[in-house]
Amino acid sequence: MASSLSSSLSHFSRISVTSLQHDYNNKIPADSQCRHFLLSRRFHSLRKGITLPRRRESPSSGICASLTVEEKELSKGDSWSVHKFGGTCMGSSQRIKNVGDIVLNDDSERKLVVVSAMSKVTDMMYDLINKAQSRDESYISSLDAVLEKHSATAHDILDGETLAIFLSKLHEDISNLKAMLRAIYIAGHVTESFTDFVVGHGELWSAQMLSLVIRKNGIDCKWMDTREVLIVNPTSSNQVDPDYLESERRLEKWYSLNPCKVIIATGFIASTPENIPTTLKRDGSDFSAAIMGSLFRARQVTIWTDVDGVYSADPRKVSEAVILKTLSYQEAWEMSYFGANVLHPRTIIPVMRYGIPILIRNIFNLSAPGTKICHPVVSDYEDKSNLQNYVKGFATIDNLALVNVEGTGMAGVPGTASAIFAAVKDVGANVIMISQASSEHSVCFAVPEKEVKAVAEALQSRFRQALDNGRLSQVAVIPNCSILAAVGQKMASTPGVSATLFNALAKANINVRAIAQGCSEYNITVVIKREDSIKALRAVHSRFYLSRTTIAMGIIGPGLIGSTLLDQLRDQASILKEEFNIDLRVMGIIGSKSMLLSDVGIDLAKWKELREERGEVANLEKFAQHVHGNNFIPNTALVDCTADSIIAGHYYEWLCKGIHVITPNKKANSGPLEQYLRLRALQRQSYTHYFYEATVGAGLPIVSTLRGLLETGDKILQIEGIFSGTLSYIFNNFKDGRAFSEVVGEAKEAGYTEPDPRDDLSGTDVARKVIILARESGLKLELSNIPIESLVPEPLRACASAQEFMQQLPKFDQEFAKKQEDADNAGEVLRYVGVVDVTNKKGVVELRKYKKDHPFAQLSGSDNIIAFTTRRYKNQPLIVRGPGAGAQVTAGGIFSDILRLASYLGAPS
């Protein structure tokens, strides 16, 4: 085996990457004597690791003298533009052609283009090494797949001599790689430098192919193996530091031998000062482009990718994230650190030194302007009222744990924090965020959840004596956390930003566990529950980037009132958004049998047609979950337009989940007292709102007027009113000798009554309104405590149908006529009223007589009227009067509650 290994390594020593590049750039066939000279140097260093010779430094003897070219000085500055194309951009022959077109269409005087390996090739190369190291012989077929991929691509984009040149070099590289992989297979081990050398071939092949495509168009173009130019010093297994002085010296030397207008450079790969191949680690191609941009002092570095630019938040979590036109270097760095898919933070450092802007653009959408990363423009921050100028983006880091070290013995003791983080460092944990109270009583910090166990054990061990003596009270771990970061230039010094951020989280029912805000003013970081991560991200993004108030709504019961409300929402939606910055989106509509759901908002102009086409079987639980779990809107409201007690029974559950409830349904507030008290207590304790103005006066402000009186310190003595628009209409028209049954039939035909008029005439609906107002006034009454005078004759209460009832009602006209005649003779009118007697803690619903000059006698049509007698309004009651029945006014009352919710959530008043 030793003999085989020696043979394989000897064969590998014949690899000549630089001579390949050299031959191509100068169109000179490989010189066997030159190659022998290069290889003899290389073989000697192979025992220590792969090294690269300094190209074109010909020996004085004259061997390889044909490589000598006229040296030319490198001109740096704005004449250079740098482009970087990633693996996706170079993923196929057509895409490589597209890249070539972009380079050719750039009117810059000089261009440097940094390319990655073709899509998936880097993974394929790592796979080769892993298989060879594991002694899996399938590495041979995998290498053949790499050859086939590049060979097929070359045949698509090259022809003639250029194709022959590339294929020759490709086959030579594959042959050498096969020998090297064989050596790794035999040894069962591979060094990092060998790995980096193998993996870097993907970039070499991409650069060669693109350069040949450019040269086909008659452009002066050469390709650069950046391992000859970029020199880096490894600082850890995942980072390297560029040696700018040495890299600049080598770049000038390279260019003096290879002067050209277009350079196609390999991304990702570099060399150590000892010429050992290495890589720039994660997002190395972007880093390469930034370093080259700084070395050339380029006018601009353009990073081509498959998105239109940098988003204000992760679009996979916030579907309405927007493309940012500009970002400062610091903003981009902060967003990168917190996981945003922008650039690796280190990519920004080289260009920031010289103020070189980075442009993020989409190769698949050339019309998109992209995002420009540069020094902040002063005009960006002139509009102090627009918080978007200060908060540019939001990002989250999940799967974290919060560690809290707490104790009175920490206060004023030097070195405590140092000891804490020394212990954390010793276990190799990464601290994401630190927060310390000014009292020095506690220090908390976030670490990846997978590392928290080791951190906690290290701290318990380090502070065992302090814990035993009581100087430290605990080392607590809070698992299942996420970090939410808001990033923006100077936002911390801008009044209102922090308040807006925390207000948005509070309104979305999200608790903040820890806060960190540095003096750099570039980010505000909060720790929240992991389960709230996406909701929090949507909440703050919605608050800053969408309408000031965006509410996802579900409409329950698209009957007469519900459908009228949907029409009103349709007609007003655009006006509310444009003029009042209120964005109302109906995400679902559910009836008794079917429901319509949408992820972005239902088109209310054709909701009926959509329900017919896409409706599904009604499921209230699924409906509520869908509306509440939408993709981007943190505020959710369910609007119950039914009179269903079962649906009312879900209000408490919905409110507990942070879903606002708006309803004209009286069943919840007039049902069991305990249910009402639970709802009101929950409403007072949370930021979740429960509005029910329309339960009493349809569109009239009855409940809000009562609350206003109570909240300002007034004392309610009595509330008396005509609460039923139906009964108001009936008794306003029951005169001039008309029969009672005739007026009831007329009201039914006009749509004022329920399908069965007995529901109105029974007085139960009025009693429910009375009980609601009694409870709002502080009385603890049940519906059964309210005496009700029913207008349904006793014999007709058992009628099987509304039709039968209407047929039998004329038999009792004489009875009602007698009451009307008695009132008329006394100069009075009949009115069906509800009374809340707060002083005596009781209520009643009955038919009463009023003088013809009384306000109650002045009504017409279906108007309602309510009189509040209070300590302030004792001699002359406060009167509220207006239409109290009909779909339009009831829907308007519900709509008013929706807008009140929007106001509570932050909409302008």
Side-chain angles (χ1 to χ4, degrees), residues 19 91 106 117 120 127 211 281 340 349 418 436-437 474 564 610 620 634 654 675 677 693 703 767 783 873 889 901:
S19 63
D106 179 4
K120 307 298 182 185
D127 184 56
S211 65
K281 314 306 176 187
I349 297 172
S418 174
Q436 180 175 2
Q474 65 173 344
T564 303
L610 291 172
L620 188 61
W654 293 339
Q675 174 180 291
L677 294 175
E693 183 69 74
V703 175
L783 187 60
Y873 298 94
V889 293
L901 172 64

Side-chain angles (χ1 to χ4, degrees), residues 290-333:
I291 296 170
M292 297 303 288
S294 70
L295 294 177
F296 279 90
R297 311 294 192 270
R299 173 176 54 84
Q300 179 174 280
V301 174
T302 303
I303 307 292
W304 292 90
T305 179
D306 57 356
V307 293
D308 286 343
V310 180
Y311 284 88
S312 54
D314 187 341
R316 294 168 299 182
K317 298 176 180 178
V318 182
S319 62
E320 292 210 345
V322 299
I323 298 292
L324 301 173
K325 293 181 179 179
T326 61
L327 279 174
S328 71
Y329 295 118
Q330 291 85 355
E331 287 167 341
W333 193 94

Side-chain angles (χ1 to χ4, degrees), residues 420-462:
I420 290 172
F421 294 110
V424 175
K425 178 179 179 293
D426 289 344
V427 297
N430 180 29
V431 177
I432 308 296
M433 186 208 81
I434 304 170
S435 179
Q436 180 175 2
S438 58
S439 66
E440 301 181 354
H441 178 70
S442 68
V443 175
C444 70
F445 53 93
V447 296
E449 203 155 35
K450 63 184 179 181
E451 298 173 356
V452 72
K453 182 179 179 182
V455 168
E457 290 174 352
L459 291 172
Q460 294 279 0
S461 174
R462 173 65 180 80

Side-chain angles (χ1 to χ4, degrees), residues 205-266:
W205 295 326
S206 287
Q208 291 173 58
M209 285 192 289
L210 180 59
S211 65
L212 288 168
V213 169
I214 301 294
R215 290 182 69 161
K216 281 174 61 179
N217 289 272
I219 302 298
D220 180 18
C221 173
K222 293 180 181 175
W223 77 278
M224 173 195 290
D225 180 349
T226 49
R227 292 177 299 188
E228 295 184 8
V229 172
L230 292 189
I231 304 302
V232 297
N233 294 295
T235 59
S236 70
S237 59
N238 292 315
Q239 286 194 2
V240 293
D241 283 338
D243 184 336
Y244 288 100
L245 289 176
E246 178 61 19
S247 296
E248 199 155 358
R249 188 188 71 78
R250 294 198 182 194
L251 172 62
E252 291 172 354
K253 179 65 176 177
W254 185 94
Y255 188 83
S256 71
L257 298 173
N258 298 277
C260 57
K261 293 292 183 71
V262 179
I263 301 171
I264 310 298
T266 55

Side-chain angles (χ1 to χ4, degrees), residues 731-763:
F731 283 99
N732 286 337
N733 289 278
F734 182 37
K735 59 186 178 180
D736 301 329
R738 297 187 67 185
F740 185 75
S741 61
E742 178 190 346
V743 177
V744 173
E746 180 180 277
K748 186 175 185 298
E749 286 296 321
Y752 286 119
T753 73
E754 294 294 330
D756 188 337
R758 285 176 295 179
D759 293 340
D760 299 292
L761 297 174
S762 68

Side-chain angles (χ1 to χ4, degrees), residues 497-519:
V497 173
S498 296
T500 301
L501 176 74
F502 291 112
N503 187 49
L505 293 172
K507 293 295 175 66
N509 250 14
I510 293 169
N511 184 43
V512 175
R513 291 178 165 177
I515 305 167
Q517 179 176 327
C519 295

Side-chain angles (χ1 to χ4, degrees), residues 666-674 676-677 680 692 695-696 703 706 719 723 763-788 834-838 841-845:
K666 294 176 275 290
K667 297 297 173 63
N669 286 9
S670 63
L673 177 62
E674 181 185 356
Y676 168 81
L677 294 175
R680 294 292 283 121
Y692 43 86
T695 58
V696 176
V703 175
L706 174 56
I719 303 171
F723 294 102
T764 303
D765 185 67
V766 175
R768 289 188 181 279
K769 295 177 182 181
V770 167
I771 202 70
I772 290 171
L773 293 177
R775 289 173 176 178
E776 291 289 310
S777 302
L779 302 183
K780 295 182 179 180
L781 299 177
E782 294 283 4
L783 187 60
S784 58
N785 299 139
I786 306 295
I788 303 172
V835 180
V836 179
D837 185 350
V838 179
K841 299 181 181 180
K842 64 180 183 179
V844 65
V845 175

